[in-house]
Amino acid sequence: MTLALVLAIVVGTVVGAIGFGRRASSGAPATTLSGWAVGGRRFGTVLFWFMNAGEVYTTFAVLGISGYAWAMGAPAYLAFTSVSLSYAIGYWLMPKIWRAGRKHALITQADFFTARFGAPWLGVVTALVGIAALVVYVQIQLVSLSLIVRLTLGSSVSPNAAVVIGAVVMLAFVFLAGLRSAAFSAGVKDVLMVVVVVLLTATVASKVGASSLFDIFRLAEEQHPGIGKFPGIDPASPTTSTWLMTSALNVALGNWVFPHLFQVSYSAASGTAIRRNAIWQPLYSLAYFFVILLGFAALVAGTKPAGGDLNAALLQFVSDSYPAWVVGLVAGTGFLLALAPGSVLLLTSGVLFARNVVGTVTRRGLSDRTTLLVSRLSMIGFAAVAVWLTIGRSQSLVDILLNAYSAIGMLAPAVVLAFLWRRTSAIGVLLGLVAGFTALLAPFAKDYWAAHLPEWEPGLIAMAINAVVVLAVSLITPRPKAEAVAVGLALSAEDCKPPAESTRTGIA
């Protein structure tokens, strides 16, 4: 029953997504770079809603947060805070990214850096930074896919084999179509996610012997005093309110700087679609309350996932407490929660590599056909790296997520200043990246933050140092040319008429 239901959900969605992507993209087919990478820039409010939600509400939202609540307690509230802050920033930032992309026919985030700072070499640097962060983010999806593969096929499938199977399925999906197909599957998985959360929430109290939903919190507090307050279950944990605020701010500032969300912004048909999305998407964050509740319920029920893996806590709880058809529904939904965003992450990595690394280094503009070929082939390599990271390390999904946001957050000062300050220079951005990554990754820096600021998110500290360096260096280096500054500033409504798509690397 479980396997049959999972196959029905996954195969049905994949077939529908591919058919939708190929039928609806007649004006910008997936065989062109624009059609494949940014959906032909024609996503209206509804399609953009599902596309954006698909990239924000992944398996991390369900398995990661519930597992963190099961293992840590109150620190799982990070989900509420970070999502709310993210959309406040997105309301201001995403329309600016969209306007720049539409005006200058940008395809990737690195295109933006190339155009805004008049420096193709900076496009290469930022593409490599973006790819590194995306590969770490793919790791989240592979961890989740491997858990679901084992739940579906049985424990006879080794964890490593489950990771490889998940990567192959993800690659197969993204190879067959492009961004528009991912939007379709994101829509299906969002509907299923709501169904699953409502179904489990409506029945979970009876499964753990509670009289109501709120009684679950009372039982959790009785069994684990302090679980509902910071720092959570472990009194010695650095997950205090300071950790919550600095981590949430780091996630919010880094969220829209991910390369795949730049491409998602480019895919919108209008700035209005983006703003409506920023206004209403936070309603989705209400689902986190119920996801955290399910994590607490798993703890009250005495759930013991194999190996103490907190990422598997919810799946284990459902498997222990519910009939097979519910397990199949949850597993199938979880599969889509990983498949839809994971495919977009790989797609973005491939396009960045082909267009902004290979195309720039070889000093020749690649044709659409060559760019597509190189990007698709490179995705195999990036998926292999993600598999290697997943097999070689064992972390909670929340920890992996914070690592990814810390890495991509190094681009946040440059992106924000690109829309605010004309003097922001390419050299300033480069030296800011060097200073930020040194503060984030150097062993001496890690030791210093751990000793003196143990409750602060290291990524936010490194981002602040990065920003100071960008500002200081930009003041003493030559101003960017006016036409480069205009990519980020001084854009009017008349500037935003759709141009002909450029096949060159960089700006039109």
Side-chain angles (χ1 to χ4, degrees):
M1 169 66 85
T2 300
L3 178 60
L5 197 51
V6 170
L7 288 175
I9 291 172
V10 174
V11 173
T13 303
V14 170
V15 171
I18 294 172
F20 177 78
R22 294 184 183 281
R23 179 185 62 80
S25 61
S26 58
T31 51
T32 69
L33 186 60
S34 173
W36 193 60
V38 294
R41 306 182 196 278
R42 295 189 302 171
F43 286 8
T45 300
V46 175
L47 203 54
F48 185 80
W49 165 285
F50 285 121
M51 190 69 252
N52 188 254
E55 296 313 305
V56 175
Y57 300 96
T58 67
T59 44
F60 163 79
V62 179
L63 301 187
I65 291 300
S66 62
Y68 215 57
W70 174 83
M72 304 288 290
Y77 300 156
L78 172 66
F80 286 121
T81 318
S82 59
V83 168
S84 302
L85 282 174
S86 289
Y87 279 101
I89 294 172
Y91 184 86
W92 171 79
L93 184 60
M94 289 185 78
K96 297 181 186 301
I97 295 172
W98 169 78
R99 285 196 297 267
R102 200 167 185 82
K103 172 66 178 176
H104 299 280
L106 308 179
I107 297 290
T108 67
Q109 181 191 62
D111 285 354
F112 172 78
F113 277 93
T114 298
R116 169 60 182 85
F117 297 101
W121 58 265
L122 187 60
V124 176
V125 172
T126 54
L128 293 174
V129 171
I131 290 170
L134 289 173
V135 168
V136 175
Y137 210 164
V138 170
Q139 191 185 348
I140 292 177
Q141 316 312 326
L142 288 182
V143 169
S144 305
L145 275 178
S146 65
L147 292 171
I148 296 166
V149 166
R150 295 196 76 201
L151 177 69
T152 305
L153 300 181
S155 57
S156 59
V157 178
S158 71
N160 291 351
V163 172
V164 174
I165 291 172
V168 170
V169 172
M170 192 183 295
L171 277 172
F173 178 71
V174 73
F175 262 65
L176 290 171
L179 195 68
R180 186 173 289 274
S181 295
F184 178 90
S185 60
V188 175
K189 69 91 177 166
D190 279 347
V191 173
L192 286 176
M193 186 182 83
V194 172
V195 171
V196 165
V197 170
V198 170
L199 173 65
L200 295 182
T201 301
T203 55
V204 70
S206 62
K207 299 294 182 181
V208 300
S211 58
S212 67
L213 294 181
F214 292 105
D215 195 41
I216 294 174
F217 288 105
R218 182 188 62 80
L219 292 174
E221 182 66 29
E222 281 184 1
Q223 294 181 13
H224 305 277
I227 188 175
K229 301 177 182 177
F230 293 104
I233 293 177
D234 181 6
S237 173
T239 49
T240 63
S241 55
T242 299
W243 169 86
L244 177 78
M245 289 187 286
T246 57
S247 296
L249 189 57
N250 184 55
V251 170
L253 289 171
N255 189 47
W256 307 113
V257 185
F258 267 103
H260 64 295
L261 288 175
F262 256 69
Q263 284 182 215
V264 168
S265 298
Y266 295 159
S267 72
S270 68
T272 300
I274 293 176
R275 290 193 183 89
R276 286 175 178 167
N277 178 74
I279 291 170
W280 295 108
Q281 277 282 355
L283 287 177
Y284 254 10
S285 67
L286 296 177
Y288 283 125
F289 170 82
F290 301 104
V291 173
I292 292 171
L293 172 75
L294 294 174
F296 279 30
L299 189 63
V300 169
T303 301
K304 302 292 184 185
D309 185 356
L310 70 167
N311 301 319
L314 181 62
L315 292 177
Q316 187 65 56
F317 172 62
V318 173
S319 181
D320 293 342
S321 308
Y322 286 86
W325 69 269
V326 177
V327 177
L329 181 62
V330 172
T333 303
F335 220 106
L336 295 182
L337 283 168
L339 189 63
S343 62
V344 175
L345 296 174
L346 284 178
L347 182 153
T348 305
S349 302
V351 175
L352 277 172
F353 182 74
R355 182 173 172 87
N356 301 107
V357 178
V358 176
T360 303
V361 171
T362 58
R363 296 179 179 276
R364 53 184 297 186
L366 302 181
S367 67
D368 263 17
R369 184 174 181 178
T370 304
T371 302
L372 278 171
L373 178 63
V374 174
S375 65
R376 284 170 170 164
L377 292 176
S378 66
M379 285 191 305
I380 300 174
F382 298 138
V385 174
V387 167
W388 174 72
L389 288 174
T390 306
I391 291 175
R393 303 176 68 182
S394 177
Q395 292 178 290
S396 78
L397 295 180
V398 173
D399 289 337
I400 298 172
L401 182 91
L402 290 176
N403 289 339
Y405 275 93
S406 294
I408 201 63
M410 293 304 101
L411 296 180
V415 170
V416 172
L417 289 171
F419 292 111
L420 292 176
W421 194 36
R422 294 171 181 269
R423 283 212 62 139
T424 311
S425 70
I427 296 296
V429 172
L430 176 64
L431 295 183
L433 288 173
V434 173
F437 275 113
T438 301
L440 181 66
L441 302 176
F444 67 85
K446 287 183 176 180
D447 293 341
Y448 185 84
W449 308 135
H452 294 86
L453 296 170
E455 298 173 3
W456 281 63
E457 165 55 43
L460 187 65
I461 299 171
M463 188 192 299
I465 293 173
N466 178 337
V468 171
V469 172
V470 173
L471 289 167
V473 175
S474 295
L475 282 173
I476 60 175
T477 49
R479 296 168 181 264
K481 294 180 179 178
E483 58 267 30
V485 173
V487 175
L489 295 166
L491 290 175
S492 63
E494 290 72 21
D495 295 327
C496 301
K497 295 176 181 176
E501 293 292 348
S502 171
T503 57
R504 294 184 289 113
T505 298
I507 60 176

